[in-house]
Amino acid sequence: MSTETSESATSPPTQPPSAPSRRTFIATTSVAGGVIAAGGLTAGSSLLGADEAAAADTAPSSRVSLTVNGWRHTVTVDNRTSLLDLLREHFGLTGSKKGCNAGACGACTVMVDGHRVNSCLTLAVRLEGAEVTTVEGLAEGDQLHPLQQAFIDQDAFQCGYCTPGQIVSGVGCIQEGHTGSAEEIREWMSGNICRCGCYVKIVRAVEQATGRK
Ligand code: FES
Ligand code: FES
């Protein structure tokens, strides 16, 4: 499956288009403060020149081509955009969850070139030519991945918020061969936190998918 798309991706909007940007806000309040302090600036005057203000509002961006779940994308992306935000906010792939956004919970786990990564800590611009697999890319049509089916069979979730990351991480754990025992699975899945405490059943699900249950 390979479809060429061309999209423009920037950081997710955090304010309405008409709202002032943080830099504009700072520049504006600086002007107001300057008026008060100096007592001599007129309304509409600015401490930043027009070119400087425009440059401050233009974030560096880069063009990157990557494949996500078999679909080829070429995007222009704000250099600060994480893979997680690219997936969720621009590609509409909301399976990967934003838990801590700091590399501590594993809710955002995806595979990049066959390796597990925390997508919240991965810059999208670093992924030129990469193959990304998210939880949405594990099933074959209506046929769930064996680990997805095992999570259902073992009732290995409650709220489900951590589950996509747990499943992708479990797939990686199996591919890496770290499934020799329940203890080994726990060790190699330890980067994925479940606040509902489903760990026992998650380990059983990984064991089932490896054919040991
Ligand atoms: S959201 Fe990425 S590790 Fe928590
Ligand atoms: S099932 Fe709720 S956080 Fe894991």
Side-chain angles (χ1 to χ4, degrees):
M1 191 164 38
S2 177
T3 294
E4 187 74 26
T5 62
S6 183
E7 304 169 25
S8 178
T10 58
S11 285
T14 56
Q15 56 194 7
S18 59
S21 71
R22 180 172 174 275
R23 289 192 179 91
T24 305
F25 177 77
I26 291 170
T28 305
T29 52
S30 295
V31 169
V35 169
I36 294 169
L41 292 177
T42 57
S45 63
S46 172
L47 298 179
L48 293 178
D51 290 346
E52 291 168 300
D57 268 338
T58 306
S61 61
S62 302
R63 199 164 171 79
V64 61
S65 294
L66 71 169
T67 302
V68 180
N69 299 332
W71 294 87
R72 183 86 168 166
H73 298 270
T74 299
V75 295
T76 300
V77 63
D78 182 320
N79 288 356
R80 301 163 296 182
T81 304
S82 69
L83 173 58
L84 179 61
D85 281 341
L86 182 67
L87 293 170
R88 290 182 55 84
E89 308 295 339
H90 301 290
F91 294 163
L93 295 170
T94 54
S96 308
K97 297 294 185 275
K98 185 179 282 188
C100 63
N101 205 28
C105 73
C108 64
T109 305
V110 302
M111 307 280 281
V112 174
D113 295 332
H115 301 288
R116 296 182 270 177
V117 302
N118 289 328
S119 60
C120 70
L121 294 185
T122 305
L123 288 174
V125 293
R126 302 286 303 274
L127 298 178
E128 177 63 35
E131 301 262 352
V132 178
T133 303
T134 72
V135 71
E136 291 94 339
L138 294 179
E140 296 279 349
D142 292 337
Q143 184 72 38
L144 292 177
H145 186 282
L147 187 55
Q148 291 175 306
Q149 186 60 54
F151 264 67
I152 294 171
D153 295 344
Q154 299 292 340
D155 197 19
F157 49 85
Q158 287 185 36
C159 77
Y161 197 81
C162 74
T163 307
Q166 299 279 5
I167 290 175
V168 174
S169 191
V171 170
C173 186
I174 292 168
Q175 289 178 357
E176 295 158 14
H178 297 305
T179 56
S181 65
E183 290 70 29
E184 187 178 9
I185 293 169
R186 277 193 205 99
E187 174 67 24
W188 287 89
M189 294 284 290
S190 60
N192 291 79
I193 307 301
C194 176
R195 71 176 181 180
C196 299
C198 298
Y199 297 112
V200 171
K201 292 178 177 179
I202 290 169
V203 170
R204 282 191 197 136
V206 175
E207 288 180 314
Q208 175 181 319
T210 61
R212 292 193 15 237
K213 280 279 173 183

